[in-house]
Amino acid sequence: MKSVGYAMLALLAAGSATAQTWQSDTGDSTALLYAGAFAPGGTTSFSCTTPSPQNVPLIETGDHESIRTDTPYDIVVGFNIDLMDPFTLPEQLDTVRIILDDVPYTLPRVSYSDFYGSWTVWMQMTDGLFPALTRAQSMVVDTGTGTAYAYPTDGLRDAVLATVNFCISGWEAQGDIAPRALSAWSGGQLAPAPAPIAAPTPASTPAPSGGQALLPGLSPAPTFPIPDQAPQVAIDRMVAQCQGEFSVDPSAVQAADVDGDGAPDYILNYSGVECFGGLTGRAYCGAANCQFDVFLSSRAYANPSEFLAIALDPVVDGQGRTGLLMASTLFGCADGACDTPFYWDGTQFTQ
């Protein structure tokens, strides 16, 4: 189980013991670069790591491998036990929300680690929560277990931006191109996105509604009609992502049974999402890729899975399995991500 780790906890203690506003801190263990934004008292934090340019093995520095945010542009949301008592609550919670200016952001499953003594959840910096933090005038952490905690926002913007930009610089130094959605709010100097590549496919193979040509052995998945009204949890998600009003082009939504329960699941391409709130325009698209959200009926359409792609289409393979075929840039297709479909295994999409 991933958690904040010893070095990050040391930063926490140093950065927030007496502070009355949000603070940021950074460090270099020679194996990992660390950055964190910490609430007064250290009860809530946002932290990230990148490989250190000194490239010293973890075993030589005492850093535990579980503290690494291995996926570029991951960020850890952490809470200490003063907020949620691990002795009276389950070790995993799906109820935690951060409410910014009365807009709720429901976190993915938050887990407690007895080894580290903290609650954490891994998220991507492109999630709508993080730009919202830089604009928030009020902040409440609602545990969903009957308690909620109000936080000051003094210093929050600067602390979050300092943390995010420190890790952006670290990942880009490793050659990992930053998601273009970060440029809308981080202020970082992001590297240009690589040119998109096309998947080699016979011309006779039909293309699904997303527009990409299909690989041999794949065919478009059966689709469902797009409803006039989206599930309320999906609407709440979009309000949170755009920090207010938004519009969706119906052509940006596909419906198919991706998780195998017989009910429609929805694939949302953010190229068709226009934000009119705290974020404006096509806030989740870059020069080539856009974010895609996959809302599954088996999860009551909550906590959508996210992809960064040019296209993401429901397909059926030769074994009758329904999956999602991705098209992306050269970087996005690294490690074979565009070679075969992603299939839902009950907990996540895997190839």
Side-chain angles (χ1 to χ4, degrees):
M1 182 180 298
K2 295 180 177 178
S3 187
V4 175
Y6 296 124
M8 192 60 74
L9 289 176
L11 281 178
L12 174 60
S16 60
T18 59
Q20 299 303 309
T21 64
W22 283 80
Q23 302 288 311
S24 63
D25 209 342
T26 59
D28 183 354
S29 73
T30 69
L32 296 173
L33 299 177
Y34 298 89
F38 307 105
T43 53
T44 294
S45 64
F46 306 100
S47 58
C48 54
T49 70
T50 73
S52 170
Q54 301 184 62
N55 202 31
V56 175
L58 290 176
I59 195 171
E60 295 183 18
T61 64
D63 294 315
H64 195 277
E65 63 179 8
S66 66
I67 68 177
R68 294 183 301 183
T69 45
D70 287 324
T71 302
Y73 306 105
D74 267 0
I75 188 166
V76 183
V77 183
F79 308 99
N80 74 11
I81 60 175
D82 291 338
L83 269 63
M84 295 172 283
D85 184 358
F87 301 105
T88 60
L89 296 172
E91 290 188 352
Q92 295 183 326
L93 296 174
D94 297 311
T95 57
V96 181
R97 302 186 303 167
I98 294 179
I99 303 171
L100 304 174
D101 300 329
D102 298 323
V103 177
Y105 295 80
T106 301
L107 302 185
R109 180 169 294 171
V110 178
S111 300
Y112 176 73
S113 169
D114 186 59
F115 182 73
Y116 291 113
S118 62
W119 301 81
T120 54
V121 58
W122 255 238
M123 300 176 68
Q124 275 277 293
M125 293 178 183
T126 51
D127 190 277
L129 167 67
F130 301 105
L133 287 168
T134 68
R135 297 175 172 84
Q137 300 299 308
S138 66
M139 175 178 173
V140 174
V141 173
D142 179 3
T143 67
T145 62
T147 55
Y149 304 87
Y151 282 86
T153 56
D154 292 344
L156 176 60
R157 171 185 169 82
D158 290 344
V160 170
L161 287 176
T163 297
V164 167
N165 281 314
F166 185 83
C167 287
I168 286 176
S169 297
W171 281 117
E172 290 197 328
Q174 298 293 318
D176 290 295
I177 299 171
R180 305 305 300 172
L182 282 178
S183 64
W185 64 273
S186 69
Q189 298 299 313
L190 305 184
I197 59 173
T201 307
S204 59
T205 303
S209 59
Q212 64 173 313
L214 296 185
L215 301 173
L218 300 178
S219 60
T223 59
F224 291 83
I226 304 300
D228 293 332
Q229 180 73 20
Q232 185 59 48
V233 68
I235 295 174
D236 293 342
R237 158 79 170 183
M238 297 310 303
V239 169
Q241 289 285 81
C242 288
Q243 302 169 33
E245 295 184 359
F246 66 93
S247 67
V248 177
D249 184 338
S251 66
V253 182
Q254 300 183 74
D257 181 14
V258 178
D259 56 10
D261 65 356
D265 306 306
Y266 300 107
I267 302 130
L268 172 64
N269 181 350
Y270 275 75
S271 69
V273 175
E274 189 83 8
C275 292
F276 303 100
L279 294 182
T280 58
R282 293 167 68 244
Y284 293 92
C285 289
N289 292 316
C290 287
Q291 181 172 316
F292 284 74
D293 279 356
V294 182
F295 298 88
L296 298 178
S297 56
S298 58
R299 303 178 74 178
Y301 302 111
N303 300 323
S305 298
E306 297 179 4
F307 291 81
L308 190 65
I310 297 171
L312 188 69
D313 292 307
V315 296
V316 176
D317 65 16
Q319 302 176 46
R321 299 180 300 169
T322 299
L324 295 173
L325 183 65
M326 185 173 82
S328 185
T329 59
L330 182 63
F331 176 77
C333 289
D335 300 323
C338 302
D339 295 345
T340 59
F342 287 83
Y343 299 99
W344 181 249
D345 67 4
T347 58
Q348 61 184 339
F349 282 99
T350 60
Q351 287 181 292

